[in-house]
Amino acid sequence: MNITDLINELHNGICTIEFTKIDTGEHRIMPCTLNQNIHKQSMTIQRYTSTDNIVAYGLDVGAWRDVRVNTIIKWYTGNPIASK
């Protein structure tokens, strides 16, 4: 899994990350972004590559979320929730 590609895509638009929540073991599907034109939040996240965590704006919860890289099952561009 290429985390640099994921971060680049998050800056370009919306991605969906599927991961396992550490506290509950629940499978989570989170549409998110780092594109300020989409999330319109005042907090700016610099481009970075972390080997452990990704911080992104969760569109379904309207808040910043931190995802541990080792819990990511898969990611893809787009928002499946918006297409329903």
Side-chain angles (χ1 to χ4, degrees):
M1 177 177 316
N2 190 325
I3 299 306
T4 302
D5 288 347
L6 170 57
I7 292 169
N8 287 335
E9 287 298 319
L10 285 166
H11 279 283
N12 289 330
I14 297 172
C15 291
T16 298
I17 300 174
E18 294 191 24
F19 63 99
T20 303
K21 291 179 67 172
I22 292 175
D23 56 345
T24 65
E26 171 189 358
H27 180 86
R28 170 100 157 86
I29 300 172
M30 181 177 73
C32 51
T33 190
L34 288 173
N35 185 309
Q36 269 191 299
N37 293 324
I38 297 170
H39 67 71
K40 302 195 185 303
Q41 298 300 308
S42 60
M43 181 176 162
T44 301
I45 299 294
Q46 299 296 320
R47 286 188 178 263
Y48 72 97
T49 302
S50 170
T51 57
D52 297 323
N53 299 326
I54 292 176
V55 176
Y57 189 79
L59 296 168
D60 57 337
V61 293
W64 291 98
R65 292 293 185 248
D66 184 358
V67 178
R68 293 188 72 164
V69 169
N70 66 354
T71 66
I72 297 174
I73 299 163
K74 66 180 177 177
W75 69 270
Y76 43 91
T77 58
N79 180 353
I81 294 171
S83 62
K84 289 184 179 180

